[in-house]
Amino acid sequence: EPEVTQTPSHQVTQMGQEVILRCVPISNHLYFYWYRQILGQKVEFLVSFYNNEISEKSEIFDDQFSVERPDGSNFTLKIRSTKLEDSAMYFCASSKDRNQETQYFGPGTRLLVL
Amino acid sequence: AQTVTQSQPEMSVQEAETVTLSCTYDTSENNYYLFWYKQPPSRQMILVIRQEAYKQQNATENRFSVNFQKAAKSFSLKISDSQLGDTAMYFCAFTPDNTDKLIFGTGTRLQVFP
């Protein structure tokens, strides 16, 4: 069964450094998403992406964040200058269509900013 | 505001017994989709069950079923014949028709005891 994959599984970085989190969505899906979950808190929407552009973004997704689909398979989240409060689990998800369609999640990348 | 409330931070159940996890939500939309996701200790988000708001019939998926009460904006999850592998965090979520994002509750931690 097709799955969403994410790399790396864990990332440790110093405050102020740039990180890129990578995701490979399910191949026939057209909508891609990033969510984050700070330890002990609920999952929060960051951004959705369709047809090579951002479809919707939350207040959390400020100028420090960017997303890209550099080729036909990868979907990346870049954090330009990491802060301590960016430490969280980052989940990528994909769906065949928007809103009503089920979003399938990857296993997550655990980011720790020191 | 569109919100999801899970009033039970923790629940426990004995193996083979039945347990019900509660969820209420708030939205002014008439059309939306509701989901229960499971997050085991590995922290991957796994879809358990989904319900379309326009369908009156409650969704079932093997041992998992929902009690969807649209007027009351309630969407509870019933797990029958609980198994040790059901031990996980369970998140209720919904996606209104006018947005891409999933809106999550704070989760219920379920422990299944032998």
Side-chain angles (χ1 to χ4, degrees), chain A residues 4 8 11 18 21 28 39 45 59 74 83 88-89 111:
Chain A
V4 177
Q11 173 101 40
E18 174 183 286
L21 309 183
N28 63 344
L39 188 63
F45 170 80
E59 291 176 353
N74 288 284
K83 306 184 187 72
M89 192 77 157
L111 175 66

Side-chain angles (χ1 to χ4, degrees), chain A residues 37-39 83-90 111-114:
Chain A
Q37 184 184 31
I38 295 171
L39 188 63
K83 306 184 187 72
L84 297 177
E85 54 265 36
D86 293 328
S87 295
M89 192 77 157
Y90 288 82
L111 175 66
L112 178 61
V113 182
L114 301 176

Side-chain angles (χ1 to χ4, degrees), chain A residues 48 55-56 99-100 102-103, chain B residues 33 37 39 50 97 99-100:
Chain A
S48 59
S55 176
E56 186 175 349
N99 52 41
Q100 299 94 337
T102 298
Q103 296 181 23
Chain B
Y33 280 63
Y37 282 89
Q39 188 181 42
R50 63 176 256 163
D97 199 30
T99 178
D100 296 341

Side-chain angles (χ1 to χ4, degrees), chain A residues 1-105:
Chain A
E1 189 172 325
E3 290 180 339
V4 177
T5 59
Q6 290 184 243
T7 54
S9 58
H10 294 79
Q11 173 101 40
V12 181
T13 189
Q14 295 289 326
M15 190 170 60
Q17 295 295 305
E18 174 183 286
V19 294
I20 297 176
L21 309 183
R22 302 180 194 280
C23 168
V24 178
I26 294 172
S27 61
N28 63 344
H29 286 187
L30 300 177
Y31 284 82
F32 316 118
Y33 313 84
W34 283 102
Y35 291 83
R36 80 170 184 192
Q37 184 184 31
I38 295 171
L39 188 63
Q41 298 185 23
K42 64 180 173 181
V43 179
E44 300 173 291
F45 170 80
L46 291 177
V47 66
S48 59
F49 191 85
Y50 170 70
N51 200 26
N52 280 321
E53 61 182 27
I54 290 174
S55 176
E56 186 175 349
K57 62 182 181 179
S58 72
E59 291 176 353
I60 303 167
F61 194 87
D62 61 21
D63 292 343
Q64 292 297 317
F65 292 90
S66 62
V67 288
E68 193 179 27
R69 189 153 163 84
D71 53 44
S73 59
N74 288 284
F75 178 52
T76 62
L77 174 69
K78 182 194 292 186
I79 309 175
R80 286 192 186 81
S81 177
T82 50
K83 306 184 187 72
L84 297 177
E85 54 265 36
D86 293 328
S87 295
M89 192 77 157
Y90 288 82
F91 291 102
C92 173
S94 70
S95 65
K96 286 183 186 177
D97 201 346
R98 68 186 296 265
N99 52 41
Q100 299 94 337
E101 281 290 330
T102 298
Q103 296 181 23
Y104 293 90
F105 283 75

Side-chain angles (χ1 to χ4, degrees), chain B residues 2-30:
Chain B
Q2 298 179 119
T3 58
V4 177
T5 301
Q6 294 180 250
S7 59
Q8 305 152 315
E10 294 185 358
M11 295 278 286
S12 61
V13 64
Q14 196 149 25
E15 202 175 5
E17 297 296 306
T18 296
V19 64
T20 299
L21 309 182
S22 64
C23 172
T24 58
Y25 58 92
D26 188 23
T27 182
S28 56
E29 296 293 317
N30 191 49

Side-chain angles (χ1 to χ4, degrees), chain B residues 51-52 54-60 66 68:
Chain B
Q51 171 82 41
E52 294 87 347
Y54 63 85
K55 286 188 179 177
Q56 292 186 340
Q57 186 173 7
N58 289 324
T60 63
V66 299
F68 173 49

